[in-house]
Amino acid sequence: MNRDRIRALLDQVKSGETEPEQALETLARLPFSDIGDARVDTHRALRAGIPEVVYAPGKTAEQIASIVRTLQDVGQDVLVTRTEADVAARVQGEIAGGEYETVGRTLWFGPADVATVGKGVIAVISAGTADLPVVTEAATVARCFGNEVDVLADVGVAGIHRLLAVHDQLRSARVLIVVAGMEGALPSVVGGIVDKPVIAVPTSVGYGAAFGGIAALLGMLTSCASNVTVVNIDNGFGAAYVATLINRL
Amino acid sequence: MNRDRIRALLDQVKSGETEPEQALETLARLPFSDIGDARVDTHRALRAGIPEVVYAPGKTAEQIASIVRTLQDVGQDVLVTRTEADVAARVQGEIAGGEYETVGRTLWFGPADVATVGKGVIAVISAGTADLPVVTEAATVARCFGNEVDVLADVGVAGIHRLLAVHDQLRSARVLIVVAGMEGALPSVVGGIVDKPVIAVPTSVGYGAAFGGIAALLGMLTSCASNVTVVNIDNGFGAAYVATLINRL
Amino acid sequence: MNRDRIRALLDQVKSGETEPEQALETLARLPFSDIGDARVDTHRALRAGIPEVVYAPGKTAEQIASIVRTLQDVGQDVLVTRTEADVAARVQGEIAGGEYETVGRTLWFGPADVATVGKGVIAVISAGTADLPVVTEAATVARCFGNEVDVLADVGVAGIHRLLAVHDQLRSARVLIVVAGMEGALPSVVGGIVDKPVIAVPTSVGYGAAFGGIAALLGMLTSCASNVTVVNIDNGFGAAYVATLINRL
Amino acid sequence: MNRDRIRALLDQVKSGETEPEQALETLARLPFSDIGDARVDTHRALRAGIPEVVYAPGKTAEQIASIVRTLQDVGQDVLVTRTEADVAARVQGEIAGGEYETVGRTLWFGPADVATVGKGVIAVISAGTADLPVVTEAATVARCFGNEVDVLADVGVAGIHRLLAVHDQLRSARVLIVVAGMEGALPSVVGGIVDKPVIAVPTSVGYGAAFGGIAALLGMLTSCASNVTVVNIDNGFGAAYVATLINRL
Amino acid sequence: MNRDRIRALLDQVKSGETEPEQALETLARLPFSDIGDARVDTHRALRAGIPEVVYAPGKTAEQIASIVRTLQDVGQDVLVTRTEADVAARVQGEIAGGEYETVGRTLWFGPADVATVGKGVIAVISAGTADLPVVTEAATVARCFGNEVDVLADVGVAGIHRLLAVHDQLRSARVLIVVAGMEGALPSVVGGIVDKPVIAVPTSVGYGAAFGGIAALLGMLTSCASNVTVVNIDNGFGAAYVATLINRL
Amino acid sequence: MNRDRIRALLDQVKSGETEPEQALETLARLPFSDIGDARVDTHRALRAGIPEVVYAPGKTAEQIASIVRTLQDVGQDVLVTRTEADVAARVQGEIAGGEYETVGRTLWFGPADVATVGKGVIAVISAGTADLPVVTEAATVARCFGNEVDVLADVGVAGIHRLLAVHDQLRSARVLIVVAGMEGALPSVVGGIVDKPVIAVPTSVGYGAAFGGIAALLGMLTSCASNVTVVNIDNGFGAAYVATLINRL
Amino acid sequence: MNRDRIRALLDQVKSGETEPEQALETLARLPFSDIGDARVDTHRALRAGIPEVVYAPGKTAEQIASIVRTLQDVGQDVLVTRTEADVAARVQGEIAGGEYETVGRTLWFGPADVATVGKGVIAVISAGTADLPVVTEAATVARCFGNEVDVLADVGVAGIHRLLAVHDQLRSARVLIVVAGMEGALPSVVGGIVDKPVIAVPTSVGYGAAFGGIAALLGMLTSCASNVTVVNIDNGFGAAYVATLINRL
Amino acid sequence: MNRDRIRALLDQVKSGETEPEQALETLARLPFSDIGDARVDTHRALRAGIPEVVYAPGKTAEQIASIVRTLQDVGQDVLVTRTEADVAARVQGEIAGGEYETVGRTLWFGPADVATVGKGVIAVISAGTADLPVVTEAATVARCFGNEVDVLADVGVAGIHRLLAVHDQLRSARVLIVVAGMEGALPSVVGGIVDKPVIAVPTSVGYGAAFGGIAALLGMLTSCASNVTVVNIDNGFGAAYVATLINRL
């Protein structure tokens, strides 16, 4: 309920330009009436130049295509997340110009070369190849949102020297996204090296007592590094979203 | 392992100024040798003007006083967190000038009026009076770390109009800390109103199926608002620490 | 053990119309002897004009058809819940007149236009498209049970203005069913707006720390709104059943 | 955000009676400005003749007394829940006329004989003496909220004949609250006997695998009786609150 | 380590009949050397006329057939449990005379008409059709082990009159096996009616908060009926095994 | 609802001896009207010579004394379980003749020398001294219920030879109660040695991953010995109750 | 960061043989630069003659083949773990000389007859056939790592005499790996017999309350035998790895 | 069941020196008859020069003193673990010569200077002061068991340079015990640095999502370092026991 728009509306009512009854309607529906019928992943208006995001699971290719078209009609770039390859192919069959990234499973309808808006570099760090889908989702989303991204894979805590080798890259990032499964110790170690905000993403990688990401999640929540916050298991998108907001500050 | 310091050291070895054996020693111990014996809450060097933090539980008043004194000797301000009233009194009996805040249980050895370093306002939002200890810890820590803080208590989701009444305050903050127990829904609602990073702090407030903060924790991790990250249950300090880092960007 | 029927029976014994031994038999088996062999979802006689309900999982199409036929023979309308499309098709192949609803997966053998018995409107509210199967099951069941139903989808807590836009509809309902996955915060917010009973249905929608509906379930059980009660995860049928009972009061 | 009040306000703006800026302020703060400073248990306006409720844990006797006084000043009856005996005594020392119920731990500031508003009887059923605090809280709250209450304790499922003995009382209630710890089976059995809404309250009574109420909670959520909804563990207040809303329909 | 056999062995050593070294060997391997290579479900010698039992999962049809043949060679009847239909068919293809029961998935190599050894009737009681596989396994195993079995399905707690109708059958059993999923309340109610041992079998039937049998398991462990003991989820075999031991006492 | 009594009643109705209305009343209240006001642990009539049992927790000494007196008045022996020493002393102060057992915390009002009714010996086996309270409760209850009891403590699985030393005692028992905390492995090993029913009692003894008895409980439920059933954590009473029923068969 | 290599490097800097800048690069990347691009299971250099290990899940046959080839090029033997048969076949199609073990699913590129380096025997003990994949993985890994291995399957705790029969073999091992599912009691019993380190491996074998290995895991962690340590569920590889390290001491 | 002793016994039977009946008795009771009545922590004979260990919780000072005296009588050194200060004082009041260590709460009856039997150094590593009780228990036990011990506290993962500073000490240990609470990441990092067995001890240190040691436990079980095994939460004794066995190999 944007205060300025409400004030303008009330001024119109005062001047008689708008009838109270009509103002009432506008008042109630204003904030999202211009978005159309789309159901975006983020559940709220992504203002200020961040593209709209569509969460694919549970939607048919037809539904996704319809949402994308509506958003493109109003001039929005659109990012579709967690899109299986066959669904992506069918959406691309209906709408030209989409770019599908197979590892992170994102489908992007926007400029090939997104203008950089973020003020610094977002580093995306992970330990193992198994975490790559989450790493890639985070990196792709961050790039589509206008950030410079530096991906540092394969730097697990059990080979601490690898981490030290990328020490300078870690410390030159403005925000860090650290992705880890199993015991999820990487954010603690990275958090101890840098003095920037670290967004930890537990992944469901691992077996047995990894319990589908619970071990990593608990490890990150109880991290002894104070600069670590946590998002949901496998939520590379969410990490990139918050990192983008921070990187624009 | 600061790259510049290593390069300098290697240059000294090259020039014969330093013996290899001695350089080796320096190399291994360099980064923390100048910190002294103190065991800080954050487990790492808090550089760049953030005061040192001591986590009180498990330490005697004597141990805390000793750490504070050591840090004061090297010119550091010190914040002691989770300090019970009797422990604080005993520390204050040994070291003059500490300020004890009874609700958030922090003990501050630093200027009464900390200079503002953060670029904007950190808003700390909560629903109920039971969450006040965590809210107050977060607010006090943020103030001691040089931020302007705006506390908005008593704005729970079941009285949604209260939230709308503080709409402008919410939207004018640069970073938001949202504290909630029970179902922990507040960060989702606040996250939908603002386009800034929201740090959610689940509290152990509640009974029965609240399970000491698990309900709130899970609710925050699965928030439908994309700008929400989460810290440990009752971790007001951690939220303020990350908010400080973000607010300095 | 209907008191009147027992009294009548005892009168018959007194008058000699019925032998004690025979009365004993009747007494023991009376309440469900007229229902036949059917195994209904609710596990008890659905008296007073509520149709019989058959829970499809674990039953073959033949078994379902047989139950439906038996119930139709005694004049009952029948609602089959959680019916997969292929099973529904085979049941419809055996018994004419069934109407299959594909989203909520209900199969209805009754009048196309059920007479309204409920005294007010049952509102069914949800946040996202992924919850639609549960929403639709609840709405369809409520309609087949003789209620006027108002479905309000896509009104999640992270876009609070959407909720306000349907404010009047929410407040004009006599009973509300609120369906939500992930953090399950919607019932708290809706419960704060209305002063009517809110039946919360957690759904298994979500990933990671949603834990198949546990996050939403705990959130709803610990809701800060006092007018919220909860049913099992994904139990749209149960919510509609209770809402029907309330709406007839 | 009452639609009528907004319309009136907009009319005033149109007529020039109110300035837009002032209307804006009113608009944002309207719904709860007349409630005052009180922090009520239910977190929202309890309109329509239901007394205000104050949740005692975490509040000092002074704070409680202050809230009670404020509410009494505006003509409200007040019910304080979960009040320990010593706290109650101190509140009563400051404010005359309160009635303390020791088993359910409620403190009531209102008429000794509350006028009956509810349309029928609310039955409160339980199995064992250990559940009495929750049973009594539910019964007392329901009475203070203007309902006729029928308490049926000691009717556990392992002595099924006791239940049959109160069969008529069960069936004559308009709403039923069933309180049970341990395996929590009572709501299923009661739910099978009546055709009215059953609100199940799991209690933390039991040991070992009762896990502080989890066994009862899960049992109630998975009840094979369709007319059962569930509230939080030990939440007698919440059950009475919802039962009151239903009983006024 | 049968005491008599050891004594006989020691006597042989004393008499010189057996060398110490050879006795030592015998001593160590005695108890199971005569059983052969078979890996039986019960992990121990099933003496005293109870047939051998083979747990099928994880074994190939060939392995099962080989074990059955070995056991038949030494004159044992064999019961194979949890056998999928295709595996059973292949075993029956190799060994004649097996009888496959499709619901409980047992494969029986023994007399069609097992002589009754148990002293009384074992009642197997359940609520719903979904529990039938476990009910049937329990009943079939009990019959193959020489017991008279009385199966009482479809007597759930939410239709309490059904239970009363079978009151006499319940009370005439010597041991009772009660099978239930969802909230698992049936053993409590049955346990309150009879004064014989009740063996409760939780099943994985149910959805949501049933958590694959956990709700039923916890409910049974915390049963308010003192004559109830519990076996593992879906363990119809184990219940029948113990019931057999009791029924032979 | 005893069939014979009902038949007699119906015969009386037929003969005009009893009015239908009066018969109806009798019918509903019959089975427990002669038990009085007592609230027994077992929640049902303990017929056939088993003493009444009162579960002490949550009852005052006065309430316990009142129940005991009532039961003694109708000629019942009474066993009070889980009685703290001070409560027991106060009950004994009011009623003469009680015997308090301090380890198992039972208070017995009955003959010092209970006549043996059970047909064989109940063995109670445990591993460690920490389990003694549960062991002693089970043994005392079994003795008060008229069984010969053989207690075998200190025979843990990690000293397997101790178990073998009591091999004969184990095998000569008619029913076995095996009590174990920590990993709860003892029932599996004992179950492999005997061919009698084994009732396993997990205890809350242990720390860390013992989780207050969960480790032992799960271990017993998944025992590879088929003759094992399980009761609730620390439920020595329940184990003795069931063992008594079995031992009377 | 091998101290000797660093010293050598510093000496080279001193002597002018190496430029500081170049030394800096070497310093940072040294420890793993000679391993190549391979991502090994153990995440760190497996020095001292232990072959490299590749964890197959999540890798394509092409990726595995590439890693194997790289490692073979530098003279390493390679063991691929958890390899499905079809993946193994494709890797073998690209690289000659691999040996696939079908039960433990390992693929070995090394000498058919590995030279024994370990000082004693590693015993691998298990109870049931279902645990064989984990047993076989452990045994194969231990053999490829140069140990003499003694596999003792089928010695479950419920048939305690089988264990005694292998008493000598148990006691002659230098390290023991004990594999068990279900209640996981075997390590406690074995641990009581031997005075050597016992590495316990819980398996996911079992159903119901086995909870995919949790019951076994908790049982092993709370073992009453002090010589037991535990690895992750189904982690035969890890157990063999540690046993190898111990066996080389 | 020592094979040699059995053989000797059988020889005696053969020679007529011992009667079969008497041999039988000896056979069954042999292995622990010479230990006396003591109940040791380890539940089995601690042969080969390791002192007896008594687990204090649940034992009175008198019971502990009695056990210690018995063991001293047969020439054993005794270590009492988890002894509260007041209990220790009372034991020391009865038996002279005990040494109480207040942090790790051990009470030692043995030589002040235990002869070193272990072949190398056992390193005990931890991150924070809160873990000191567990660290100290482990170190004291290891010293009493005849090992050289190197304690390295305060080397948490968030200050990775501290770890590198003790790199040489880590690598020179023969076995390592790594103690950590909260996220429990330290064993992974240490495990990556050394090529020796690492025994990880999770502690109950931490709050919120640490869940009393569960977070650390899961983190250690899922460690990406292959040389890590795990013991129970806070089990410093167990870690030292296994480390001792390994260090004697």
Side-chain angles (χ1 to χ4, degrees), chain G residues 7-161:
Chain G
R7 186 174 295 117
L9 190 69
L10 291 169
D11 283 332
Q12 288 171 9
V13 172
K14 193 186 177 188
S15 67
E17 209 172 328
T18 303
E19 286 303 300
E21 194 65 21
Q22 176 187 348
L24 179 64
E25 283 308 303
T26 308
L27 202 66
R29 288 187 182 68
L30 186 91
F32 55 94
S33 63
D34 40 6
I35 290 176
D37 208 47
R39 182 84 195 120
V40 301
D41 178 47
T42 59
H43 299 255
R44 85 212 50 111
L46 298 167
R47 311 163 196 86
I50 297 185
E52 290 290 342
V53 180
V54 180
Y55 182 68
K59 298 196 182 69
T60 64
E62 288 66 36
Q63 290 174 316
I64 295 170
S66 160
I67 296 172
V68 170
R69 206 175 286 118
T70 304
L71 288 164
Q72 286 188 323
D73 285 354
V74 298
Q76 290 278 357
D77 294 334
V78 189
L79 182 64
V80 190
T81 62
R82 305 231 177 157
T83 329
E84 296 308 321
D86 57 331
V87 172
R90 274 187 291 141
V91 175
Q92 289 174 304
E94 298 206 20
I95 305 181
E99 183 179 6
Y100 184 62
E101 199 288 314
T102 58
V103 178
R105 292 175 299 150
T106 47
L107 177 58
W108 171 234
F109 291 92
D113 210 355
V114 181
T116 298
V117 183
K119 297 181 181 171
V121 170
I122 296 176
V124 183
I125 302 110
S126 77
T129 49
D131 297 324
L132 273 184
V134 177
V135 165
T136 311
E137 185 189 60
T140 307
V141 169
R143 283 197 192 97
C144 293
F145 283 5
N147 299 284
E148 188 179 341
V149 177
D150 191 7
V151 175
L152 302 166
D154 214 10
V155 289
V157 296
I160 207 70
H161 303 102

Side-chain angles (χ1 to χ4, degrees), chain F residues 36-59:
Chain F
D37 208 48
R39 184 82 197 121
V40 301
D41 178 47
T42 58
H43 299 255
R44 85 214 48 109
L46 298 167
R47 310 167 196 83
I50 295 184
E52 288 291 338
V53 179
V54 180
Y55 182 70
K59 297 195 183 68

Side-chain angles (χ1 to χ4, degrees), chain D residues 158 164 183 185 188 192 210 219 222-224, chain E residues 158 164 183 185 188 192 210 219 222-224:
Chain D
L164 298 183
E183 83 267 59
S188 294
T222 57
S223 172
C224 54
Chain E
L164 298 183
E183 83 266 61
S188 293
T222 58
S223 172
C224 54

Side-chain angles (χ1 to χ4, degrees), chain B residues 136-218:
Chain B
T136 310
E137 185 188 61
T140 307
V141 169
R143 283 195 193 100
C144 294
F145 283 6
N147 299 284
E148 188 180 342
V149 177
D150 190 7
V151 174
L152 303 167
D154 215 11
V155 290
V157 297
I160 208 70
H161 304 102
R162 298 186 194 215
L163 252 177
L164 298 183
V166 295
H167 185 269
D168 289 3
Q169 280 169 281
L170 294 176
R171 290 193 57 87
S172 65
R174 199 159 185 256
V175 196
L176 300 98
I177 295 171
V178 184
V179 178
M182 299 167 76
E183 83 266 61
L186 194 55
S188 294
V189 179
V190 171
I193 291 173
V194 304
D195 52 3
K196 292 293 184 310
V198 171
I199 302 167
V201 189
T203 71
S204 53
V205 166
Y207 63 92
F211 295 133
I214 295 181
L217 173 63
L218 297 186

Side-chain angles (χ1 to χ4, degrees), chain D residues 93-131:
Chain D
E94 297 205 22
I95 304 183
E99 186 180 3
Y100 185 61
E101 201 288 314
T102 58
V103 178
R105 292 176 300 152
T106 47
L107 176 58
W108 170 233
F109 291 94
D113 209 356
V114 181
T116 299
V117 184
K119 297 184 180 168
V121 171
I122 296 177
V124 183
I125 301 111
S126 78
T129 50
D131 298 325

Side-chain angles (χ1 to χ4, degrees), chain C residues 100-151:
Chain C
Y100 184 62
E101 200 288 314
T102 57
V103 178
R105 290 176 300 152
T106 47
L107 177 57
W108 171 235
F109 290 93
D113 208 355
V114 181
T116 300
V117 184
K119 296 182 181 170
V121 170
I122 296 175
V124 183
I125 301 110
S126 78
T129 50
D131 298 324
L132 272 185
V134 177
V135 166
T136 310
E137 184 189 60
T140 307
V141 169
R143 282 197 193 100
C144 293
F145 283 7
N147 298 284
E148 189 179 341
V149 177
D150 191 7
V151 174

Side-chain angles (χ1 to χ4, degrees), chain E residues 1-11 27, chain H residues 24 27:
Chain E
M1 200 151 55
N2 185 287
R3 210 172 175 92
D4 292 337
R5 293 184 79 155
I6 298 179
R7 186 173 295 116
L9 191 68
L10 291 170
D11 283 332
L27 203 64
Chain H
L24 179 63
L27 202 67

